[in-house]
Amino acid sequence: MLEQLFKLKENKTTVRTEVVAGLTTFMTMAYILFLNPNILSATGMDKNAVFFATAMAAGVVTIAMGLFVNFPIALAPGMGLNAFFAAVAAQHVGMPWQVALGAVFISGIIFVILTVTKVRQILVVAVPNSLKRAITVGIGLFITIIGLKLSELTIVKAGPVIPPTLEALQKGGVATLKFFEWNIFLGSFHNPATLLTLIGLAVTAVLMANRVKGSLLIGILVSTIIGIPLGVTIIPENFTPFALPDFSNLYVGKLDIMGALHMGIWTVVFTFTFVELFDTFGTLVGTADKAGLLDKNGQSPKIGRAMLVDALGVSFGALMGTSTVTAYVESAAGIGEGGRTGLTAVTTGVLFLLALALAPLAGLIPSAATAPALIIVGVLMVSAVREIDFDDFTEGFPAFMTFALMPFTYSIANGIAAGIIFYTALKVLAGRAREVHWLMYILFVLVITRFIFLAGE
């Protein structure tokens, strides 16, 4: 049955090879089970519910990729987009997390439409490689900032604060600080959380340098254990590491689609859609190429179906109660172990479902233990900067503005918008308008319109 379903002989592989490959992929990306709940808990979401949603979404969608596409690609809530989700739905200051889930669901529907109509494939071609790489770099920096904040390795101090700012704080509780009223400093090494992050960062970095499989996962678990004597990891009474999550408090179907349809949310939907667009395409094509599943022209009839499963997975993840689900580049680890068919993905997906029994452990892990993984992932993503041509100013400057504005304005959307505007404008003003795809001009107009009409929001 497995031979008929996955065409193992045709792909020159065996059941054992595929299962080992699936296990390898799971080990390299299982960190998301512990990282995602910590990140999304900043919105007020319950860690237990997010853990369930993460495991379910990753398990079901990855199994679907294996069964319906026969690709050795695993999917789970994506790094970067979960950080963006946490930023826009931050507790007490952002939109309700239910509305943010609605925005993710809508972006998934948009993906399905774009995929079926082939517009998604055109968009991937339209946006220049320099901006695609810059988006990856920017998200890496964005994730790093969040890791540093979670660890309290960097802190923001306000002062001296002038009277108008104090009045605004007293009236509304929120004020825009002038440039001289705040600054960024290094956190205190006397803070146990900061100390644990530094230890975890050193441990994880050494593991990565020695190419140990599952380095991020091992780093999180080791940091959690070290955090016990430091007083950062708090073990509740009657703790048991293995038990199914509490099914009485889940976020299945708790998304607010009508709230997300409000005009003010479209910039968020745009960001989810735009980032996922290139993230998935690059991962699918890159990993499929490494597995030898593309023809000499770099094409595969399965890519379209893979994109459709990915698009449906985004909306399914939102229904379960988590941020955008996307293809994981860590799938390359399983492919490196010989994974060539969907049996690799099915194995990984089943392991994610079995991991539901680790729910108590996920709730135990402190933010300081997951912060090093965020910083390390940031390093891996920033490495894409090497592929940007800074010798061509019309390529380098828009790319720089893209990745610089993401962390410093705390918005992925602002970085993407800046890249589109500067790239299109510079190419035209430099007399190189023919190098700009026609769809970029449409995106240029849409972005300018967005800033005009949403400037006050």
Side-chain angles (χ1 to χ4, degrees), residues 236-317:
E237 291 184 17
N238 303 318
F239 172 75
T240 174
F242 305 108
L244 290 175
D246 179 10
F247 293 107
S248 64
N249 183 33
L250 301 180
Y251 294 151
V252 178
K254 294 290 182 70
L255 64 171
D256 183 0
I257 298 175
M258 294 309 296
L261 289 173
H262 182 269
M263 265 302 293
I265 204 72
W266 284 109
T267 182
V268 178
V269 174
F270 165 79
T271 302
F272 283 135
T273 304
F274 205 82
V275 174
E276 164 73 355
L277 179 74
F278 305 112
D279 190 47
T280 299
F281 183 82
T283 301
L284 285 175
V285 172
T287 50
D289 182 42
K290 184 171 182 178
L293 301 174
L294 301 181
D295 59 27
K296 60 182 179 180
N297 297 316
Q299 302 293 323
S300 170
K302 294 180 180 180
I303 292 292
R305 274 185 290 159
M307 284 186 171
L308 186 58
V309 169
D310 169 76
L312 292 170
V314 172
S315 294
F316 178 75

Side-chain angles (χ1 to χ4, degrees), residues 2 6 8 13-27 72 213 333-335 337-351 354:
L2 291 177
F6 299 109
L8 300 176
T13 185
T14 64
V15 172
R16 182 184 180 282
T17 299
E18 295 293 302
V19 171
V20 170
L23 175 61
T24 302
T25 297
F26 175 77
M27 283 295 295
K213 290 174 182 175
I335 290 171
E337 289 294 319
R340 293 294 179 271
T341 73
L343 183 55
T344 293
V346 170
T347 301
T348 303
V350 169
L351 289 170
L354 292 176

Side-chain angles (χ1 to χ4, degrees), residues 154-411:
T154 58
I155 55 176
V156 175
K157 290 184 180 179
V161 179
I162 59 178
T165 303
L166 285 173
E167 289 176 14
L169 285 170
Q170 290 168 354
K171 287 181 181 179
V174 178
T176 300
L177 299 178
K178 302 295 183 182
F179 72 93
F180 54 82
E181 293 181 298
W182 67 277
N183 216 329
I184 301 174
F185 296 89
L186 186 66
S188 172
F189 292 159
H190 295 293
N191 183 337
T194 302
L195 187 59
L196 178 60
T197 298
L198 288 173
I199 295 171
L201 200 55
V203 170
T204 309
V206 169
L207 292 171
M208 292 289 292
N210 286 282
R211 301 178 183 272
V212 176
K213 290 174 182 175
S215 295
L216 296 178
L217 176 62
I218 295 170
I220 290 172
L221 296 177
V222 170
S223 298
T224 300
I225 294 170
I226 296 174
I228 297 174
L230 289 176
V232 180
T233 303
I234 307 300
I235 302 177
E237 291 184 17
N238 303 318
F239 172 75
T240 174
F242 305 108
L244 290 175
D246 179 10
F247 293 107
S248 64
N249 183 33
L250 301 180
Y251 294 151
V252 178
K254 294 290 182 70
L255 64 171
D256 183 0
I257 298 175
M258 294 309 296
L261 289 173
H262 182 269
M263 265 302 293
I265 204 72
W266 284 109
T267 182
V268 178
V269 174
F270 165 79
T271 302
F272 283 135
T273 304
F274 205 82
V275 174
E276 164 73 355
L277 179 74
F278 305 112
D279 190 47
T280 299
F281 183 82
T283 301
L284 285 175
V285 172
T287 50
D289 182 42
K290 184 171 182 178
L293 301 174
L294 301 181
D295 59 27
K296 60 182 179 180
N297 297 316
Q299 302 293 323
S300 170
K302 294 180 180 180
I303 292 292
R305 274 185 290 159
M307 284 186 171
L308 186 58
V309 169
D310 169 76
L312 292 170
V314 172
S315 294
F316 178 75
L319 282 171
M320 290 296 100
T322 186
S323 52
T324 306
V325 171
T326 185
Y328 261 61
V329 71
E330 281 84 350
S331 302
I335 290 171
E337 289 294 319
R340 293 294 179 271
T341 73
L343 183 55
T344 293
V346 170
T347 301
T348 303
V350 169
L351 289 170
F352 267 113
L353 295 180
L354 292 176
L356 282 169
L358 298 175
L361 187 60
L364 190 71
I365 294 173
S367 297
T370 54
L374 283 169
I375 297 169
I376 295 292
V377 170
V379 173
L380 298 176
M381 297 184 77
V382 167
S383 65
V385 74
R386 293 173 298 184
E387 301 174 46
I388 299 173
D389 182 10
F390 285 101
D391 291 330
D392 183 344
F393 200 74
T394 64
E395 298 283 341
F397 182 70
F400 174 80
M401 293 304 293
T402 298
F403 64 70
L405 286 181
M406 284 188 192
F408 293 125
T409 65
Y410 214 60
S411 169

Side-chain angles (χ1 to χ4, degrees), residues 407-444:
F408 293 125
T409 65
Y410 214 60
S411 169
I412 296 173
N414 286 343
I416 294 172
I420 291 171
I421 290 172
F422 284 112
Y423 182 86
T424 307
L426 276 182
K427 288 291 186 182
V428 171
L429 295 175
R432 297 164 61 180
R434 290 185 179 181
E435 296 179 21
V436 183
H437 194 282
W438 60 268
L439 199 52
M440 284 292 288
Y441 292 108
I442 297 176
L443 292 174
F444 177 88

